[in-house]
Amino acid sequence: MKIIIAGAGEVGFHLAKLLSFESQDITLIDTNRESLAYADTHLDIRVIRGDATSISVLKESRVNGTDLVIAVTSSETTNITVCVLAKQLGAKRTIARISNTEFLENKEEVQFTKFGIDELISPESLASSEIELLLNQSGFNDTYEFEEGALTMIGLQLSRTAAFVGKTVKEVGFQHPELKYVPIAIQRYGTQYTLIPRGDTKFKEGDQVYFTTTQEGVEHIYKLTGKVKEPIKNVMILGGSKIGYKTANDLCKGKFNVKLIENSKEKAFEIADDIPSCLVIHGDGRNVELLQEESIQEMDAFISVTGNSETNIMSCLVAKSKGVKKTIALVENMDYFQLSHSIGIDTLINKKLLAANNIFRHVRKGEIVAMTMLNNMNAELLEFIVSPSSEVCNKVVREIDFPRSAIIGGVIRDGIGMIALGDFVIESGDRIVVCSLPQSIKKVEKLFV
């Protein structure tokens, strides 16, 4: 696939890195010489120094006939302009990164496709939605919804008291036949190794396990894993960044009691004017005395989304030490993901990863409508639509030549989520959720093309 990425910043570089590992034909455009030099020496891609809104630069990047143009510079205006020009010059598909969430809210009304923009993504909006979802499923450390919750992916760490521990997948299935769930990935405690569970795979204490389940199944998993769905009402947010602002605004609409701490006096006043139902405090959130004065110990959740990863991690650890049940930290460094559970933070989120997940589904073959990567795990979760020509259409699950390192997590038919066991027949129009390790993705894609 021929892909042009405009913008070699954090999101652009991360995308180029992921796509280059898959042997895609990548061209990266940016005006910054240092960013390009780093990308050129570390990745197997083509780089062009120049303004991506320049027609001559786009022509030099051979935009005519390009499969996908992704504009992810820090400037929203530049991204929109790049996509409009690229489409006129012959690009097949375009994606623009935006920061103004009004564009997303009025996408249908404005009809951006008429201008030549096929998809809009906002890393800030994605991060805010992720935070809200995590607060609603408070017992888990990772969660993702397919088709507005028809199927839900949940991730959690198994404690010693969980009913699953010491039993195989098959044994749990026999003991709880009413349980509508499929374990789709496991990472053993203290390892980097991701495995796709089979019937004889045993659950162990400390495992980070991912399940797909129906709406009713979520409550069952809470009970069997010993997790408690703590009611979350009082939330403290550190940092009035775009993510902090959007999260506070969304949570206030959702009837949460929100306190937001912001270091900049001017920004604090702006947020207080814009969100009257949010209590905005001007101060340094790294100051433990200030956090105690603002009753951090009475908070149900603490969300740190300042521009500094270390500040976010440290302030979450302070919150945890004061008895806060749920902590979420925004981090830029992907390496920190491996530390999150061992140091006691519930969830780390990363804008680059969220944006890359959202864009990646446009690169995969087959009709993919949703995709996510499991936090700190070498596995992808994809949602395919079955076409009449798909190899899996009208076949029984057990008869499909499915790779060992991939698993069907569930099926959505007519808006209803189902767990697809061996005797389930797949039909045209079904939405199939698949979890796969990287080495099997190409084989899985072929089944759905």
Side-chain angles (χ1 to χ4, degrees):
M1 201 172 183
K2 191 167 181 296
I3 301 167
I4 293 171
I5 300 172
E10 289 174 341
V11 177
F13 178 80
H14 184 64
L15 263 174
K17 182 177 164 186
L18 290 178
L19 292 167
S20 69
F21 289 161
E22 304 214 339
S23 307
Q24 306 284 359
D25 179 3
I26 311 294
T27 302
L28 185 63
I29 305 172
D30 203 286
T31 52
N32 187 306
R33 193 188 299 273
E34 282 179 26
S35 300
L36 285 180
Y38 186 81
D40 196 24
T41 52
H42 287 75
L43 306 175
D44 181 20
I45 61 171
R46 179 173 174 240
V47 300
I48 294 175
R49 184 167 173 257
D51 183 352
T53 58
S54 158
I55 291 170
S56 59
V57 168
L58 286 172
K59 283 182 175 175
E60 187 190 340
S61 67
R62 301 192 287 274
V63 70
N64 183 22
T66 293
D67 297 298
L68 184 62
V69 173
I70 306 166
V72 284
T73 72
S74 54
S75 163
E76 180 176 73
T77 315
T78 300
N79 297 338
I80 290 170
T81 308
V82 169
C83 287
V84 171
L85 291 172
K87 201 61 179 257
Q88 294 298 318
L89 292 168
K92 292 175 188 169
R93 196 161 178 77
T94 61
I95 300 173
R97 173 190 176 174
I98 49 130
S99 50
N100 184 351
T101 52
E102 267 191 340
F103 289 162
L104 288 174
E105 289 153 16
N106 300 287
K107 196 160 68 169
E108 302 304 318
E109 195 180 336
V110 178
Q111 292 186 325
F112 286 93
T113 46
K114 286 187 176 175
F115 307 136
I117 304 165
D118 295 304
E119 198 75 35
L120 296 169
I121 61 152
S122 162
E124 292 78 19
S125 182
L126 290 168
S128 173
S129 302
E130 179 88 349
I131 289 167
E132 208 169 344
L133 199 54
L134 287 163
L135 293 184
N136 288 330
Q137 301 287 7
S138 60
F140 308 126
N141 55 35
D142 196 5
T143 182
Y144 187 87
E145 286 186 349
F146 293 93
E147 306 306 308
E148 297 176 350
L151 281 177
T152 303
M153 180 276 291
I154 49 181
L156 54 95
Q157 200 162 20
L158 292 182
S159 60
R160 188 171 44 82
T161 54
F164 286 102
V165 170
K167 292 173 184 166
T168 64
V169 172
K170 200 177 276 182
E171 285 169 348
V172 176
F174 281 134
Q175 287 174 9
H176 304 278
E178 79 293 346
L179 190 56
K180 301 281 193 291
Y181 85 104
V182 174
I184 54 168
I186 295 177
Q187 188 177 56
R188 296 292 187 211
Y189 182 71
T191 72
Q192 298 282 297
Y193 181 61
T194 303
L195 62 97
I196 301 294
R198 295 289 158 192
D200 57 355
T201 305
K202 191 174 276 191
F203 295 108
K204 297 180 181 178
E205 181 188 346
D207 281 353
Q208 173 70 17
V209 185
Y210 285 84
F211 300 95
T212 49
T213 182
T214 58
Q215 285 171 324
E216 312 83 65
V218 173
E219 296 305 321
H220 282 296
I221 290 175
Y222 266 117
K223 285 176 192 165
L224 287 171
T225 55
K227 298 287 177 186
V228 180
K229 188 170 184 178
E230 302 276 7
I232 289 184
K233 193 70 186 162
N234 302 314
V235 180
M236 185 178 279
I237 299 172
L238 180 58
S241 59
K242 284 175 183 168
I243 295 174
Y245 174 89
K246 180 147 183 25
T247 302
N249 199 14
D250 291 348
L251 292 180
C252 285
K253 287 175 188 169
K255 305 293 182 281
F256 287 86
N257 300 323
V258 182
K259 279 186 183 180
L260 187 145
I261 300 174
E262 170 52 47
N263 209 7
S264 159
K265 191 174 183 180
E266 191 180 337
K267 196 182 275 185
F269 275 108
E270 272 178 32
I271 296 168
D273 288 341
D274 287 351
I275 318 173
S277 53
C278 176
L279 176 60
V280 183
I281 295 128
H282 169 235
D284 187 348
R286 293 170 298 184
N287 184 334
V288 179
E289 280 182 18
L290 172 69
L291 295 176
Q292 285 177 319
E293 278 172 27
E294 296 304 329
S295 312
I296 189 169
Q297 64 280 358
E298 290 171 19
M299 294 294 137
D300 300 314
F302 182 86
I303 301 160
S304 191
V305 286
T306 72
N308 186 297
S309 300
E310 288 74 19
T311 297
N312 295 339
I313 289 170
M314 292 309 294
S315 55
C316 278
L317 291 176
V318 169
K320 221 34 178 175
S321 72
K322 302 294 177 190
V324 177
K325 294 180 286 242
K326 186 84 177 173
T327 54
I328 301 171
L330 177 74
V331 296
E332 292 304 323
N333 190 332
M334 307 290 281
D335 298 332
Y336 288 154
F337 271 85
Q338 282 134 30
L339 301 171
S340 63
H341 304 308
S342 57
I343 58 178
I345 295 172
D346 294 311
T347 310
L348 299 180
I349 57 170
N350 179 287
K351 285 192 298 183
K352 291 181 283 189
L353 198 59
L354 291 169
N357 286 353
N358 202 271
I359 290 167
F360 235 66
R361 63 193 168 98
H362 299 283
V363 179
R364 295 269 170 250
K365 293 192 180 87
E367 195 175 346
I368 295 178
V369 285
M371 188 207 138
T372 186
M373 285 176 184
L374 305 184
N375 269 355
N376 191 29
M377 290 177 85
N378 193 25
E380 287 182 24
L381 202 57
L382 306 122
E383 182 186 356
F384 293 93
I385 296 179
V386 177
S387 67
S389 60
S390 297
E391 205 177 306
V392 297
C393 191
N394 299 322
K395 279 196 177 174
V396 177
V397 168
R398 71 163 68 86
E399 291 173 2
I400 298 167
D401 181 22
F402 223 70
R404 292 282 298 170
S405 50
I407 189 169
I408 292 177
V411 176
I412 299 165
R413 183 177 290 168
D414 301 325
I416 298 165
M418 308 171 191
I419 299 305
L421 301 175
D423 54 357
F424 188 93
V425 180
I426 292 172
E427 296 176 4
S428 175
D430 283 353
R431 291 168 177 253
I432 311 287
V433 175
V434 176
C435 183
S436 175
L437 299 187
Q439 65 265 31
S440 300
I441 284 173
K442 283 189 169 58
K443 195 171 179 185
V444 170
E445 285 173 347
K446 282 178 187 169
L447 294 170
F448 293 93
V449 171

